[in-house]
Amino acid sequence: QVQLVESGGGLVQPGGSLRLSCAASARLYSMGWYRQVLGKQRELVATFATGGVTNYLDSVKGRFTISRDNAKNTVYLQMNSLKPEDTAVYYCNVREWGGKVFWGQGTQVTISS
């Protein structure tokens, strides 16, 4: 069982920045972030697979950057130029080489003036 510890959510004004972190208890094939608004489906925000392959939601391209520290088994999501529509609960998502998926507990990100 992989343990995940998320941090970095909060309240910020439009145009501001936040950085999310997710530390895992093991080395993983891929690490990333999803987000969910109440009443809507959870959507992929960004992922970082072994080998450096990244994938982003179109609406965050150019504003969000995902990075990974393999020595710390940690993935980061730097979020800049935040918009009210980025408000959501953000979930860390990781995948083992065997394909098993684990989710973090979620961290609230609120963009509001």
Side-chain angles (χ1 to χ4, degrees), residues 91-111:
Y91 294 92
C92 181
N93 169 278
V94 301
R95 183 183 298 272
E96 295 180 320
W97 269 273
K100 193 169 183 180
V101 174
F102 298 89
W103 292 92
Q105 78 278 9
T107 184
Q108 178 68 47
V109 170
T110 302
I111 315 304

Side-chain angles (χ1 to χ4, degrees), residues 12-17 80-84 111:
V12 67
Q13 292 186 343
S17 298
N80 299 328
S81 302
L82 284 161
K83 304 176 181 180
I111 315 304

